[in-house]
Amino acid sequence: MMIWKVTLTHGGRRNCGLRWWKDTLEKIMLQLRTPQRCRSPRQNCHHASTLLNSWTILLLKELRSSKDRGSTLHIELNIAGSLTYETADNLGILPVNDISTIRRVAQRLGYDVDAIVRTGPGEAVKKKESFRHPFPTPCTVGEILGRYCDLTGPLRRSDLKILSNYTTDELDKTSLVRMSSKEGKNEFQSKVVDGMLGLVDILEKCPSIDMPLEYFLSVCPRLQPRYYTISSSSLVNPNSVHLTIAITKCRRSDGSILGGTCTSHIASRAVDPALNSLRVFLKESSFRLPKDVSFCFPTLDTYLFCMVS
């Protein structure tokens, strides 16, 4: 399990195990420390050295008629002079959580979204040069919650067991421990999995959960990129990348609508023209068309041979 440690002071007082201080800008600065790696593969960190591009959206249009249910978007991104691609390559898009989701988590746990966070290697890291920041530093709490924390994705039973350690109400603790056990597997399936509950929902359903920021970051899974196959040809469109994306929306058991994190982020670009860029990176595909395609087209001799046979 990843442990985060705060080493800053403010007035010599402790608050929930944290030491605080304010800088000249009156913004809280937290010095978080972390071991070398994340706790699981699904928490692979997007560190500061990750090569990303913020590409401008040239065109974003709806492909379905107003009578059709759902939404499918055609997106064209400007890549002029930045890179080259081949047909069937994958484009990774780094999603951002909806602002309302960020505020729900921050309000529920009492975090200041404008507070600035700085990370660095802790005492547990023997080789300081091998340390990788889990996100760019310094960074605001709002940016961390928005860009690097998966607040709505599916949870595991082990996640509920960890969250139960931060409850102050015995009923909340009992409920989380029960669903995290083998005996509560069916209840976990029906309430959490089938109910499509994410971390933000569990925090609201168990209001006694109280977690300092560094412990929340150790529990919350990292927001992962989504990959989409490029639908344009680099021969025809060398300066732009085209994507065709179906917007994900699911109705939950309580009647509320759960939108896909990444597709909702993309769809928001259609609503607000000022948001005209996406953070993306290219991932080469293992699928490649053969360079010599002559064998794909039968010659006249081959055709006549087949006719005779």
Side-chain angles (χ1 to χ4, degrees):
M1 177 179 175
M2 182 167 61
I3 302 298
W4 300 72
K5 188 176 181 181
V6 177
T7 60
L8 302 180
T9 60
H10 173 50
R13 297 183 293 109
R14 290 178 177 265
N15 183 10
C16 298
L18 307 180
R19 296 179 181 179
W20 302 78
W21 101 95
K22 291 186 178 181
D23 62 5
T24 56
L25 297 178
E26 294 299 312
K27 289 186 177 180
I28 297 176
M29 303 280 287
L30 305 180
Q31 179 76 36
L32 303 183
R33 297 176 180 248
T34 174
Q36 293 175 330
R37 54 193 175 92
C38 298
R39 66 183 179 89
S40 70
R42 72 172 182 159
Q43 279 194 317
N44 292 332
C45 298
H46 297 299
H47 52 84
S49 62
T50 302
L51 297 179
L52 299 174
N53 296 282
S54 183
W55 288 348
T56 302
I57 299 175
L58 297 175
L59 177 65
L60 196 156
K61 66 178 181 179
E62 176 62 55
L63 296 179
R64 298 191 187 188
S65 68
S66 57
K67 298 180 181 179
D68 292 338
R69 292 184 178 180
S71 173
T72 301
L73 299 178
H74 169 78
I75 304 173
E76 297 182 11
L77 299 171
N78 180 23
I79 62 167
S82 59
L83 59 80
T84 58
Y85 72 96
E86 294 189 35
T87 302
D89 276 347
N90 297 309
L91 196 67
I93 299 180
L94 270 66
V96 178
N97 288 307
D98 182 81
I99 185 63
S100 62
T101 302
I102 298 172
R103 288 172 177 169
R104 286 167 62 191
V105 172
Q107 182 177 5
R108 170 60 190 80
L109 295 176
Y111 299 154
D112 178 6
V113 293
D114 295 322
I116 299 174
V117 174
R118 188 185 300 276
T119 63
E123 293 82 357
V125 181
K126 296 181 180 180
K127 296 182 179 179
K128 306 298 182 181
E129 64 276 4
S130 65
F131 173 78
R132 285 188 170 186
H133 292 281
F135 33 74
T137 184
C139 187
T140 67
V141 173
E143 289 175 334
I144 295 173
L145 296 179
R147 295 173 180 261
Y148 306 103
C149 294
D150 191 349
L151 305 178
T152 59
L155 296 173
R156 300 174 299 187
R157 285 188 294 154
S158 58
D159 295 326
L160 301 189
K161 181 63 178 297
I162 296 173
L163 290 173
S164 68
N165 296 320
Y166 298 95
T167 57
T168 57
D169 181 79
E170 193 62 32
L171 185 61
D172 288 344
K173 184 180 183 66
T174 302
S175 177
L176 292 174
V177 171
R178 184 178 63 251
M179 287 191 292
S180 66
S181 66
K182 292 183 178 180
E183 294 75 14
K185 185 191 305 185
N186 293 334
E187 183 181 1
F188 173 80
Q189 179 68 36
S190 61
K191 291 184 177 180
V192 179
V193 179
D194 296 342
M196 293 182 279
L197 301 184
L199 183 56
V200 60
D201 304 299
I202 296 298
L203 291 174
E204 291 178 339
K205 289 183 179 296
C206 298
S208 72
I209 295 177
D210 185 15
M211 304 178 70
L213 178 60
E214 68 270 31
Y215 293 105
F216 174 81
L217 295 178
S218 72
V219 173
C220 184
R222 295 291 172 260
L223 194 55
Q224 298 297 314
R226 272 58 167 180
Y227 294 96
Y228 301 92
T229 301
I230 296 174
S231 57
S232 56
S233 169
S234 57
L235 298 178
V236 180
N237 304 104
N239 294 323
S240 64
V241 165
H242 299 184
L243 299 174
T244 304
I245 299 176
I247 305 303
T248 304
K249 288 185 179 181
C250 301
R251 184 175 295 277
R252 300 197 281 195
S253 56
D254 61 357
S256 62
I257 301 297
L258 176 65
T261 303
C262 190
T263 56
S264 297
H265 172 58
I266 295 171
S268 67
R269 269 53 190 159
V271 177
D272 188 353
L275 305 174
N276 63 342
S277 64
L278 292 171
R279 296 184 304 151
V280 301
F281 60 93
L282 190 67
K283 183 179 180 181
E284 293 185 357
S285 173
S286 58
F287 172 78
R288 286 289 181 261
L289 292 172
K291 294 182 179 180
D292 182 11
V293 296
S294 60
F295 70 90
C296 298
F297 302 95
T299 62
L300 179 59
D301 293 339
T302 305
Y303 178 77
L304 293 175
F305 175 79
C306 293
M307 290 293 291
V308 173
S309 301

